Every structure is written in C-alpha cells, then in structure tokens.
C-alpha cells in the first residue's frame, strides 16, 4: 500500500506559523523536535518530517479506511546514518522516499521496500482538471476513483489497475502509482 | 454557552484556515474540516491551538485525534468547558 504528500514551501510559509507556542509539541515527537530545531533550515526539516508522517498516514488510511488526526503517533526514525527515514505507526513500519528542492518537498510511503522502488511519480500543476492532464501525458492510461473512492490508474488496453495516490498543495500536485498491479477490485 | 453560540465561536476560529469560504457559510455539525472546508491538514493543529486559547482549555492528543469535523470539535469543547 502507498501514500504520498506534497508541501508547497511558499504556501506552507504563508499558511503555517509553526513557531507559535505548542505547535511543535502537538505534532512532533521529542526526537523530531530536536531534528527540526538543530537543522540548518528548521522549516525545511519540519515540512520534510511532516510530509513523511502525512504520506504514512495516507498509506495507513488506505489499509484500514479509518480517519483520524494523530501526527505525533507516526514517528519518523532514522535506522541508519545514511539519511533514509522510516515512519513507525503502532506495529507497522513504512518505508519512505522524499524529494526536496527549493519549491516543494514530496514524500512517498509504502509498506514494502520493493514497492517503494517501483513507484511511478508524476508531478503536475495543481489544477482542477489534473486527471485529464494525466491522460494527456500518458495516452492509454487514466486516473479514476474505484468503488471505494480510492484513486487508481487504469490501463485502457488491458483493463489492469494500479493503486494510486494523489496529493496537492499550493501550486503543486503529485500523482504516484504502484508498479505492481492491484489485484482486488 | 448554548450550542449556536458555540458553533459561531468555532466558525470564527476556523474561518482563516477554511479555503472553501462558501462551505464555511453553510457550516453545520456535519461539516468536515478537510473534506468540506478544504482545510490543509497542517492547519488542523492551528485550529486545536486556537480553540485551546479561546476557551482556555487543554486538548490532549487523544481528543485531537477525533477532531476532523465540527461535531467532534464541539463535543471536545463542550466536555471541557
């Protein structure tokens, strides 16, 4: 299962005053707060960790269909010193891959490491007709919601489906879909 | 404080974070912060902090977990004031 989250850094800067009292404590574990406050660019670290938690929550939500707001219970951990992160939630460990630049931070979470390595990523402008735009960019494929309301990529020729996840914020939109096929309808 | 008064206060608190202003005008107990008001999930914590300040209450993480709708937020506030 997969989930993703994109943060438009300019938008986040406009919308969130994370320096306010209580903000960090409500969302981040002590270890995460230290990472943020000791970082060269605290706000970039903050949105990186946030996007990981949110991506993992979305993957978890796909598994259980349960909605809740508990970012602190999704903890970012660094198993090695190589810069990679995992997000732990209860007994589940999510594998994370992130992209960082001056404009946005994007994180992807999957349960299987092999799935993470085969995820397809497509960045687009955040606009209402993004699904049509996707079909235009990938002729023969379309982005649709399945019966449960979850996004999937469908190959028109074969009818085969891939689990997908869409995230948008500010100017940016990311569509990711699994390299493996979705078996259940 | 009665329910209508409480809802009005809550509406004022969430108004700066609600991106769908029309949905905000039609706010009811069933309104979903993210689904209906198109609120960014990173701003949900601001709503929680603003509620704490406005009502002088403390909202623990367990209560915060449920606060995705107007109904849930009202329940949390009512239980603590």
């Amino acid at each position: 299962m997969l989930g993703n989250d994109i943060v438009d850094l300019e938008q986040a800067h406009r919308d969130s005053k994370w320096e306010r009292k209580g903000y960090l404590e409500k969302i981040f574990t002590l270890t995460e707060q230290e990472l943020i406050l000791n970082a060269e660019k605290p706000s970039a670290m903050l949105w990186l960790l946030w996007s990981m938690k949110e991506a993992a929550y979305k993957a978890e939500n796909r598994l259980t269909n349960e909605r809740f707001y508990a970012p602190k219970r999704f903890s970012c951990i660094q198993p090695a010193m190589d810069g990679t992160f995992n997000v732990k939630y209860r007994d589940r460990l999510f594998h994370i891959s992130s992209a960082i630049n001056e404009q946005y931070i994007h994180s992807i979470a999957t349960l299987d490491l092999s799935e993470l390595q085969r995820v397809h990523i497509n960045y687009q402008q955040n606009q209402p007709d993004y699904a049509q735009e996707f079909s235009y960019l990938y002729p023969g494929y379309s982005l649709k919601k399945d019966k449960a309301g979850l996004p999937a990529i469908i190959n028109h020729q074969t009818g085969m489906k891939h689990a997908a996840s869409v995230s948008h914020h500010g100017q940016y939109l990311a569509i990711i879909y699994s390299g493996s096929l979705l078996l259940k309808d | 404080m009665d329910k209508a008064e409480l809802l009005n206060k809550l509406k004022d608190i969430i108004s700066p974070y609600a991106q769908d202003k029309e949905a905000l005008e039609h706010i009811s107990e069933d309104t979903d912060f993210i689904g209906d008001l198109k609120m960014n999930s990173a701003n949900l914590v601001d709503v929680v902090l603003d509620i704490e300040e406005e009502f002088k209450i403390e909202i623990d993480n367990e209560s915060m977990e449920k606060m995705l709708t107007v109904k849930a937020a009202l329940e949390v506030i009512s239980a603590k004031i």
Side-chain angles (χ1 to χ4, degrees):
Chain A
M1 249 335 130
L2 45 74
N4 85 124
D5 190 60
I6 195 160
V7 177
D8 178 330
L9 292 171
E10 215 180 281
Q11 183 85 31
H13 180 70
R14 266 198 304 274
D15 293 348
S16 291
K17 303 281 167 271
W18 62 268
E19 296 92 343
R20 71 181 290 191
K21 191 171 168 279
Y23 192 98
L24 290 182
E25 291 88 333
K26 283 238 187 284
I27 298 183
F28 297 101
T29 65
L30 269 181
T31 313
E32 292 162 356
Q33 290 176 44
E34 275 170 20
L35 271 175
I36 293 166
L37 296 171
N38 294 329
E40 202 177 310
K41 289 185 191 164
S43 68
M45 178 58 85
L46 180 144
W47 295 118
L48 174 64
L49 298 178
W50 168 262
S51 69
M52 292 181 197
K53 286 166 179 277
E54 192 67 4
Y57 165 72
K58 287 181 189 168
E60 172 69 21
N61 173 256
R62 262 196 105 111
L63 285 166
T64 61
N65 219 9
E66 271 175 53
R67 288 185 69 213
F68 54 94
Y69 188 60
K72 205 169 179 169
R73 283 168 66 196
F74 288 79
S75 62
C76 303
I77 51 175
Q78 285 176 297
M81 294 304 285
D82 60 359
T84 60
F85 276 93
N86 286 147
V87 171
K88 196 176 182 316
Y89 173 70
R90 298 171 95 165
D91 56 353
R92 275 203 256 280
L93 194 67
F94 293 95
H95 297 278
I96 305 288
S97 147
S98 300
I100 305 164
N101 59 41
E102 295 289 317
Q103 285 78 40
Y104 61 79
I105 290 178
H106 179 225
S107 291
I108 298 167
T110 64
L111 265 187
D112 299 315
L113 188 57
S114 64
E115 190 178 10
L116 187 66
Q117 288 152 352
R118 288 183 294 143
V119 163
H120 298 266
I121 311 167
N122 189 50
Y123 295 110
Q124 295 176 203
Q125 280 289 310
N126 184 13
Q127 51 194 18
D129 62 349
Y130 65 86
Q132 283 104 296
E133 175 79 15
F134 181 86
S135 304
Y136 177 76
L137 291 167
Y138 295 89
Y141 290 88
S142 65
L143 173 68
K144 290 214 170 89
K145 285 199 172 163
D146 68 8
K147 283 170 197 155
L150 296 167
I153 300 289
I154 296 150
N155 180 325
H156 290 288
Q157 243 171 8
T158 60
M160 287 193 279
K161 283 191 197 173
H162 301 258
S165 170
V166 181
S167 173
H168 56 97
H169 184 228
Q171 287 191 59
Y172 307 103
L173 183 134
I175 298 169
I176 67 163
Y177 60 99
S178 175
S180 46
L181 291 166
L182 205 57
L183 295 174
K184 57 177 191 211
D185 193 4
Chain B
M1 205 179 307
D2 66 28
K3 232 178 182 173
E5 233 178 306
L6 209 58
L7 181 63
N8 260 328
K9 268 199 161 180
L10 184 64
K11 189 182 165 191
D12 286 345
I13 288 173
I14 57 186
S15 137
Y17 312 110
Q19 288 181 47
D20 192 328
K21 300 293 177 197
E22 205 182 310
L24 181 69
E25 282 318 304
H26 299 101
I27 192 168
S28 75
E29 283 213 346
D30 299 323
T31 302
D32 188 288
F33 292 146
I34 295 170
D36 296 322
L37 301 181
K38 309 283 177 270
M39 204 183 274
N40 192 292
S41 51
N43 284 131
L44 273 181
V45 68
D46 288 296
V47 171
V48 173
L49 291 168
D50 289 350
I51 289 173
E52 285 188 330
E53 281 170 23
E54 175 68 29
F55 296 98
K56 303 199 171 36
I57 56 174
E58 216 174 288
I59 296 170
D60 53 30
N61 286 333
E62 210 175 300
S63 304
M64 183 168 91
E65 264 185 44
K66 298 172 271 175
M67 289 175 65
L68 293 165
T69 62
V70 167
K71 187 168 187 271
L74 290 177
E75 278 168 6
V76 169
I77 299 167
S78 306
K80 289 177 195 279
I81 55 171

